[in-house]
Coordinates of all heavy atoms in Angstrom, one line a residue:
E43 N 203.2 -99.6 128.1 CA 203.8 -100.0 129.4 C 202.7 -100.4 130.4 O 202.8 -101.5 131.0 CB 204.7 -98.9 130.0 CG 205.3 -99.3 131.3 CD 206.3 -98.2 131.9 OE1 206.6 -97.3 131.2 OE2 206.6 -98.3 133.0
E44 N 201.8 -99.6 130.6 CA 200.7 -99.9 131.6 C 199.9 -101.1 131.1 O 199.6 -102.0 131.9 CB 199.7 -98.7 131.7 CG 198.7 -98.9 132.7 CD 197.7 -97.7 132.9 OE1 198.1 -96.6 132.6 OE2 196.6 -98.0 133.4
A45 N 199.7 -101.2 129.8 CA 198.9 -102.4 129.3 C 199.6 -103.7 129.5 O 199.0 -104.7 129.9 CB 198.6 -102.1 127.9
I46 N 200.9 -103.7 129.2 CA 201.7 -105.0 129.4 C 201.9 -105.4 130.8 O 201.8 -106.6 131.1 CB 203.0 -104.9 128.6 CG1 203.5 -106.4 128.3 CG2 204.1 -104.1 129.3 CD1 204.6 -106.5 127.3
I47 N 202.0 -104.4 131.7 CA 202.1 -104.7 133.2 C 200.8 -105.3 133.6 O 200.8 -106.3 134.4 CB 202.5 -103.4 133.9 CG1 203.9 -103.1 133.7 CG2 202.2 -103.6 135.4 CD1 204.3 -101.7 134.2
E48 N 199.7 -104.7 133.2 CA 198.3 -105.2 133.7 C 198.1 -106.6 133.1 O 197.5 -107.4 133.8 CB 197.2 -104.2 133.3 CG 197.2 -102.9 134.1 CD 197.2 -103.2 135.6 OE1 196.3 -104.0 136.1 OE2 198.1 -102.7 136.4
R49 N 198.4 -106.8 131.9 CA 198.1 -108.1 131.3 C 199.0 -109.2 131.9 O 198.5 -110.3 132.1 CB 198.4 -108.0 129.7 CG 197.9 -109.4 129.1 CD 197.9 -109.3 127.6 NE 197.1 -110.4 127.0 CZ 197.3 -111.7 127.3 NH1 198.3 -112.1 128.1 NH2 196.6 -112.6 126.7
E50 N 200.3 -108.8 132.2 CA 201.1 -109.8 132.9 C 200.5 -110.2 134.3 O 200.7 -111.3 134.7 CB 202.5 -109.2 133.0 CG 203.6 -110.2 133.6 CD 203.8 -111.4 132.6 OE1 203.8 -111.2 131.4 OE2 204.1 -112.4 133.1
K51 N 199.9 -109.2 135.0 CA 199.3 -109.5 136.3 C 198.2 -110.5 136.1 O 198.0 -111.4 136.9 CB 198.8 -108.3 137.0 CG 199.9 -107.4 137.5 CD 199.3 -106.1 138.1 CE 200.3 -105.1 138.5 NZ 199.7 -103.8 138.9
M52 N 197.4 -110.3 135.1 CA 196.2 -111.2 134.9 C 196.5 -112.5 134.2 O 195.9 -113.5 134.5 CB 195.2 -110.4 134.1 CG 194.6 -109.2 134.8 SD 193.2 -108.4 134.0 CE 192.0 -109.7 134.0
Y53 N 197.5 -112.5 133.3 CA 197.8 -113.6 132.5 C 199.3 -113.8 132.5 O 200.0 -113.4 131.5 CB 197.3 -113.5 131.0 CG 195.8 -113.3 131.0 CD1 195.3 -112.0 130.7 CD2 194.9 -114.3 131.1 CE1 194.0 -111.8 130.6 CE2 193.6 -114.1 131.1 CZ 193.1 -112.9 130.8 OH 191.7 -112.6 130.8
P54 N 199.9 -114.4 133.5 CA 201.4 -114.6 133.6 C 201.9 -115.3 132.4 O 201.3 -116.1 131.8 CB 201.6 -115.4 134.9 CG 200.3 -115.2 135.6 CD 199.2 -115.0 134.7
T55 N 203.2 -115.0 132.1 CA 203.8 -115.5 130.8 C 205.1 -116.3 131.1 O 205.8 -116.5 130.1 CB 204.0 -114.4 129.8 OG1 204.9 -113.4 130.3 CG2 202.7 -113.7 129.4
G56 N 205.4 -116.5 132.3 CA 206.7 -117.3 132.6 C 206.5 -118.8 132.2 O 205.4 -119.3 132.3
L57 N 207.5 -119.3 131.6 CA 207.4 -120.8 131.2 C 208.7 -121.5 131.7 O 209.8 -121.2 131.4 CB 207.5 -120.8 129.7 CG 206.2 -120.6 128.9 CD1 206.4 -120.6 127.4 CD2 205.2 -121.7 129.3
Q58 N 208.5 -122.4 132.7 CA 209.5 -123.2 133.1 C 209.5 -124.5 132.3 O 208.6 -125.3 132.4 CB 209.4 -123.5 134.6 CG 210.5 -124.4 135.1 CD 211.9 -123.7 135.1 OE1 212.1 -122.7 135.6 NE2 212.8 -124.3 134.3
L59 N 210.5 -124.6 131.4 CA 210.6 -125.8 130.5 C 211.6 -126.7 131.2 O 212.2 -126.5 132.2 CB 211.0 -125.4 129.2 CG 210.0 -124.4 128.5 CD1 210.7 -123.7 127.3 CD2 208.7 -125.0 128.2
E60 N 211.9 -127.9 130.5 CA 212.7 -128.9 131.1 C 214.1 -128.3 131.5 O 214.5 -128.6 132.6 CB 212.9 -130.0 130.1 CG 213.6 -131.2 130.6 CD 213.7 -132.3 129.6 OE1 212.8 -132.5 128.8 OE2 214.7 -133.0 129.6
N61 N 214.8 -127.7 130.7 CA 216.1 -127.1 131.0 C 216.3 -125.6 130.7 O 217.4 -125.1 130.6 CB 217.2 -127.8 130.1 CG 217.2 -129.3 130.3 OD1 217.3 -129.7 131.5 ND2 217.2 -130.1 129.3
F62 N 215.2 -125.0 130.8 CA 215.2 -123.6 130.4 C 214.0 -122.9 130.9 O 212.9 -123.4 131.0 CB 215.2 -123.5 128.8 CG 215.5 -122.2 128.2 CD1 216.7 -121.6 128.4 CD2 214.5 -121.5 127.5 CE1 217.0 -120.3 127.9 CE2 214.8 -120.3 126.9 CZ 216.0 -119.7 127.1
A63 N 214.1 -121.6 131.2 CA 213.0 -120.7 131.6 C 213.0 -119.5 130.8 O 214.0 -118.9 130.4 CB 213.1 -120.3 133.1
I64 N 211.8 -119.2 130.3 CA 211.6 -118.0 129.5 C 210.3 -117.3 129.9 O 209.4 -118.0 130.4 CB 211.6 -118.4 128.0 CG1 211.7 -117.2 127.0 CG2 210.5 -119.3 127.6 CD1 212.0 -117.5 125.6
A65 N 210.2 -116.0 129.5 CA 208.9 -115.3 129.6 C 208.6 -114.8 128.2 O 209.5 -114.4 127.5 CB 208.9 -114.2 130.6
I66 N 207.3 -114.7 127.9 CA 206.8 -114.2 126.6 C 205.7 -113.3 126.8 O 204.6 -113.5 126.4 CB 206.5 -115.4 125.6 CG1 207.6 -116.5 125.6 CG2 206.2 -114.8 124.2 CD1 207.2 -117.7 124.7
P67 N 206.0 -112.1 127.4 CA 204.9 -111.1 127.7 C 204.4 -110.5 126.4 O 205.2 -110.4 125.4 CB 205.5 -110.1 128.6 CG 207.0 -110.3 128.4 CD 207.3 -111.7 128.0
H68 N 203.1 -110.1 126.4 CA 202.5 -109.5 125.3 C 201.3 -108.8 125.8 O 200.9 -108.9 126.9 CB 202.2 -110.5 124.2 CG 201.4 -111.7 124.7 ND1 202.1 -112.7 125.3 CD2 200.1 -112.0 124.6 CE1 201.2 -113.6 125.6 NE2 200.0 -113.2 125.2
T69 N 200.7 -108.0 124.9 CA 199.5 -107.2 125.3 C 198.5 -107.1 124.1 O 198.8 -107.6 123.1 CB 199.8 -105.8 125.9 OG1 198.6 -105.3 126.6 CG2 200.4 -104.9 124.9
D70 N 197.5 -106.4 124.3 CA 196.4 -106.3 123.3 C 197.0 -105.5 122.1 O 197.8 -104.6 122.2 CB 195.2 -105.6 123.8 CG 194.5 -106.4 124.9 OD1 194.5 -107.7 124.8 OD2 194.0 -105.8 125.9
V71 N 196.5 -105.8 120.9 CA 197.0 -105.3 119.6 C 196.8 -103.8 119.6 O 197.6 -103.1 118.8 CB 196.3 -106.0 118.4 CG1 196.7 -107.4 118.4 CG2 194.8 -105.8 118.4
V72 N 195.9 -103.2 120.3 CA 195.6 -101.8 120.2 C 196.8 -100.9 120.7 O 197.0 -99.8 120.3 CB 194.3 -101.4 121.0 CG1 194.6 -101.6 122.5 CG2 193.9 -100.0 120.7
H73 N 197.7 -101.5 121.4 CA 198.9 -100.8 122.0 C 200.1 -100.9 121.1 O 201.2 -100.4 121.4 CB 199.2 -101.3 123.4 CG 198.1 -101.3 124.3 ND1 197.5 -100.1 124.8 CD2 197.3 -102.3 124.7 CE1 196.5 -100.4 125.6 NE2 196.3 -101.7 125.6
I74 N 200.0 -101.6 119.9 CA 201.1 -101.9 119.1 C 201.0 -101.0 117.8 O 199.9 -101.0 117.2 CB 201.1 -103.4 118.6 CG1 201.1 -104.3 119.9 CG2 202.3 -103.7 117.8 CD1 202.2 -104.1 120.9
Q75 N 202.1 -100.3 117.4 CA 202.1 -99.5 116.3 C 202.7 -100.2 115.0 O 202.2 -100.1 113.9 CB 202.8 -98.2 116.5 CG 202.0 -97.3 117.5 CD 202.7 -96.0 117.8 OE1 203.9 -95.9 117.8 NE2 201.9 -95.0 118.2
R76 N 203.7 -101.0 115.3 CA 204.4 -101.8 114.2 C 204.7 -103.1 114.8 O 205.2 -103.2 116.0 CB 205.7 -101.1 113.8 CG 205.5 -99.8 113.0 CD 206.8 -99.1 112.7 NE 208.1 -99.8 112.7 CZ 209.2 -99.3 113.0 NH1 209.4 -98.0 113.4 NH2 210.3 -100.0 112.9
P77 N 204.4 -104.2 114.1 CA 204.7 -105.5 114.6 C 206.2 -105.8 114.9 O 207.0 -105.3 114.2 CB 204.1 -106.5 113.6 CG 204.0 -105.7 112.3 CD 203.9 -104.2 112.7
F78 N 206.4 -106.6 116.0 CA 207.8 -106.9 116.4 C 207.8 -108.0 117.4 O 206.8 -108.3 118.0 CB 208.4 -105.7 117.1 CG 207.8 -105.3 118.4 CD1 208.4 -105.9 119.6 CD2 206.7 -104.5 118.5 CE1 207.8 -105.6 120.8 CE2 206.2 -104.2 119.8 CZ 206.7 -104.8 120.9
V79 N 209.0 -108.6 117.5 CA 209.3 -109.5 118.6 C 210.7 -109.0 119.1 O 211.6 -108.9 118.4 CB 209.4 -111.0 118.2 CG1 209.8 -111.8 119.4 CG2 208.1 -111.5 117.6
A80 N 210.7 -108.6 120.4 CA 211.9 -108.1 121.0 C 212.5 -109.2 121.9 O 211.8 -109.9 122.6 CB 211.7 -106.8 121.8
V81 N 213.8 -109.4 121.7 CA 214.5 -110.5 122.5 C 215.5 -109.9 123.5 O 216.3 -109.1 123.1 CB 215.2 -111.4 121.5 CG1 215.9 -112.5 122.2 CG2 214.3 -111.9 120.4
Y82 N 215.3 -110.3 124.7 CA 216.2 -109.8 125.8 C 216.8 -111.0 126.6 O 216.1 -111.9 126.9 CB 215.4 -108.9 126.7 CG 214.7 -107.7 126.1 CD1 213.4 -107.8 125.7 CD2 215.4 -106.6 125.8 CE1 212.8 -106.8 125.1 CE2 214.8 -105.5 125.2 CZ 213.5 -105.6 124.8 OH 212.9 -104.5 124.2
R83 N 218.1 -110.9 126.8 CA 218.7 -111.8 127.7 C 219.2 -110.9 128.9 O 220.0 -109.9 128.6 CB 219.9 -112.5 127.0 CG 220.6 -113.5 128.0 CD 221.5 -114.4 127.2 NE 220.8 -115.3 126.4 CZ 221.3 -115.8 125.3 NH1 222.5 -115.6 124.9 NH2 220.5 -116.6 124.5
L84 N 218.8 -111.3 130.1 CA 219.2 -110.5 131.3 C 220.5 -111.0 131.9 O 220.7 -112.2 131.9 CB 218.0 -110.5 132.2 CG 216.6 -110.3 131.6 CD1 215.5 -110.4 132.7 CD2 216.5 -108.9 131.0
K85 N 221.2 -110.0 132.5 CA 222.4 -110.4 133.2 C 222.1 -111.2 134.4 O 222.8 -112.1 134.8 CB 223.2 -109.1 133.6 CG 223.9 -108.5 132.4 CD 224.7 -107.3 133.0 CE 225.5 -106.6 131.8 NZ 226.3 -105.5 132.3
K86 N 220.9 -110.9 135.1 CA 220.5 -111.7 136.2 C 219.0 -112.0 136.1 O 218.3 -111.2 135.6 CB 220.9 -111.1 137.6 CG 220.2 -109.8 137.9 CD 220.6 -109.3 139.2 CE 219.7 -108.1 139.7 NZ 219.9 -107.7 141.0
A87 N 218.6 -113.1 136.6 CA 217.2 -113.5 136.5 C 216.3 -112.6 137.3 O 216.6 -112.1 138.3 CB 217.1 -114.9 137.0
I88 N 215.1 -112.4 136.7 CA 214.0 -111.7 137.4 C 212.8 -112.7 137.5 O 212.7 -113.6 136.7 CB 213.6 -110.4 136.7 CG1 213.1 -110.6 135.3 CG2 214.8 -109.4 136.8 CD1 212.5 -109.4 134.6
N89 N 211.9 -112.4 138.4 CA 210.7 -113.3 138.6 C 209.6 -113.0 137.7 O 209.2 -111.8 137.6 CB 210.3 -113.3 140.1 CG 211.4 -113.9 141.0 OD1 212.2 -114.7 140.5 ND2 211.4 -113.5 142.2
F90 N 209.0 -114.0 137.1 CA 207.7 -114.0 136.4 C 206.9 -115.1 137.1 O 207.5 -116.1 137.6 CB 207.9 -114.3 134.9 CG 208.3 -113.1 134.1 CD1 209.6 -112.6 134.1 CD2 207.3 -112.4 133.4 CE1 209.9 -111.5 133.3 CE2 207.7 -111.3 132.6 CZ 209.0 -110.9 132.6
Y91 N 205.6 -115.0 137.0 CA 204.8 -116.1 137.4 C 204.6 -117.1 136.2 O 204.5 -116.7 135.1 CB 203.4 -115.7 137.9 CG 203.5 -115.1 139.3 CD1 203.3 -113.7 139.5 CD2 203.7 -115.9 140.4 CE1 203.4 -113.2 140.8 CE2 203.8 -115.3 141.7 CZ 203.6 -114.0 141.9 OH 203.7 -113.4 143.1
Q92 N 204.5 -118.4 136.6 CA 204.3 -119.4 135.6 C 203.0 -119.2 134.9 O 202.0 -118.9 135.5 CB 204.4 -120.8 136.3 CG 204.0 -122.0 135.4 CD 205.1 -122.4 134.5 OE1 206.3 -122.2 134.7 NE2 204.8 -123.1 133.4
M93 N 203.0 -119.4 133.6 CA 201.8 -119.3 132.8 C 200.7 -120.2 133.4 O 201.0 -121.3 133.7 CB 202.1 -119.7 131.3 CG 201.1 -119.3 130.3 SD 201.7 -119.7 128.6 CE 202.9 -118.5 128.3
G94 N 199.5 -119.6 133.5 CA 198.4 -120.4 134.0 C 198.3 -120.5 135.5 O 197.5 -121.2 136.1
T95 N 199.3 -119.8 136.2 CA 199.2 -119.8 137.7 C 199.3 -118.4 138.2 O 199.6 -117.5 137.5 CB 200.4 -120.6 138.3 OG1 201.6 -119.8 138.2 CG2 200.6 -121.9 137.6
D96 N 199.0 -118.3 139.5 CA 199.3 -116.9 140.1 C 200.2 -117.1 141.4 O 200.3 -116.2 142.2 CB 198.0 -116.2 140.5 CG 197.1 -117.0 141.5 OD1 197.5 -118.1 141.9 OD2 196.0 -116.5 141.7
D97 N 200.8 -118.2 141.5 CA 201.6 -118.4 142.7 C 202.9 -119.2 142.4 O 203.7 -119.5 143.4 CB 200.8 -119.2 143.8 CG 200.3 -120.6 143.3 OD1 200.4 -120.9 142.1 OD2 199.8 -121.3 144.2
V98 N 203.2 -119.7 141.2 CA 204.4 -120.4 140.9 C 205.4 -119.4 140.3 O 205.2 -118.9 139.2 CB 204.2 -121.6 140.0 CG1 205.5 -122.3 139.7 CG2 203.2 -122.5 140.6
I99 N 206.5 -119.1 141.0 CA 207.5 -118.2 140.5 C 208.5 -118.9 139.6 O 209.0 -119.9 139.9 CB 208.2 -117.4 141.6 CG1 207.2 -116.5 142.4 CG2 209.4 -116.6 141.2 CD1 207.7 -115.9 143.6
V100 N 208.8 -118.2 138.5 CA 209.8 -118.7 137.5 C 210.9 -117.7 137.4 O 210.6 -116.6 136.9 CB 209.2 -119.0 136.1 CG1 210.2 -119.5 135.2 CG2 208.0 -120.0 136.2
P101 N 212.1 -117.9 137.8 CA 213.2 -117.0 137.6 C 213.6 -117.1 136.1 O 214.0 -118.1 135.6 CB 214.4 -117.5 138.5 CG 213.8 -118.7 139.3 CD 212.5 -119.1 138.6
V102 N 213.6 -115.9 135.5 CA 213.8 -115.9 134.0 C 214.9 -114.9 133.6 O 215.0 -113.8 134.2 CB 212.5 -115.4 133.4 CG1 212.7 -115.0 131.9 CG2 211.4 -116.4 133.6
K103 N 215.8 -115.4 132.7 CA 216.9 -114.6 132.2 C 216.6 -114.3 130.7 O 217.3 -113.4 130.2 CB 218.2 -115.3 132.3 CG 218.7 -115.2 133.7 CD 220.1 -115.9 133.8 CE 221.2 -114.9 133.6 NZ 222.6 -115.4 133.9
D104 N 215.7 -114.9 130.1 CA 215.4 -114.7 128.7 C 213.9 -114.3 128.5 O 213.1 -115.0 129.0 CB 215.7 -115.9 127.9 CG 217.2 -116.2 127.8 OD1 217.9 -115.7 126.8 OD2 217.8 -116.9 128.7
V105 N 213.7 -113.2 127.8 CA 212.4 -112.7 127.7 C 212.2 -112.3 126.2 O 213.0 -111.6 125.6 CB 212.1 -111.4 128.5 CG1 210.7 -111.0 128.4 CG2 212.5 -111.7 130.0
L106 N 211.1 -112.8 125.6 CA 210.7 -112.4 124.3 C 209.4 -111.6 124.4 O 208.4 -112.2 124.9 CB 210.4 -113.6 123.4 CG 211.6 -114.2 122.6 CD1 212.7 -114.7 123.6 CD2 211.2 -115.3 121.7
V107 N 209.4 -110.4 124.0 CA 208.2 -109.5 124.1 C 207.6 -109.5 122.7 O 208.2 -109.1 121.7 CB 208.6 -108.1 124.5 CG1 207.3 -107.2 124.6 CG2 209.3 -108.1 125.9
L108 N 206.3 -109.9 122.7 CA 205.6 -110.0 121.4 C 204.8 -108.7 121.2 O 204.1 -108.3 122.1 CB 204.6 -111.1 121.4 CG 205.1 -112.6 121.7 CD1 204.0 -113.6 121.4 CD2 206.3 -112.9 120.9
G109 N 204.9 -108.1 120.0 CA 204.1 -107.0 119.7 C 203.5 -107.2 118.4 O 204.0 -106.7 117.3
I110 N 202.4 -107.9 118.4 CA 201.7 -108.3 117.1 C 200.4 -107.5 117.0 O 199.7 -107.4 118.0 CB 201.5 -109.8 117.1 CG1 202.8 -110.6 117.3 CG2 200.8 -110.2 115.8 CD1 203.9 -110.3 116.3
N111 N 200.1 -106.9 115.9 CA 199.0 -106.1 115.7 C 197.8 -106.8 115.1 O 196.8 -106.1 114.7 CB 199.3 -104.8 115.1 CG 200.0 -104.9 113.7 OD1 200.1 -106.1 113.3 ND2 200.4 -103.9 113.1

Side-chain angles (χ1 to χ4, degrees):
E43 182 179 344
E44 184 179 339
I46 201 166
I47 289 169
E48 288 306 309
R49 190 171 193 303
E50 187 65 32
K51 285 179 189 171
M52 295 188 61
Y53 304 102
T55 61
L57 280 173
Q58 180 62 61
L59 304 168
E60 191 176 324
N61 298 309
F62 191 66
I64 190 167
I66 309 176
H68 50 282
T69 191
D70 298 323
V71 297
V72 66
H73 307 287
I74 308 304
Q75 293 179 330
R76 291 173 26 209
F78 68 90
V79 178
V81 179
Y82 302 96
R83 181 168 294 152
L84 311 178
K85 286 185 178 181
K86 67 178 188 175
I88 60 173
N89 292 334
F90 277 79
Y91 284 108
Q92 174 77 21
M93 197 176 285
T95 76
D96 61 4
D97 62 347
V98 178
I99 293 174
V100 179
V102 170
K103 286 182 90 172
D104 290 270
V105 185
L106 273 63
V107 179
L108 307 188
I110 305 302
N111 55 3

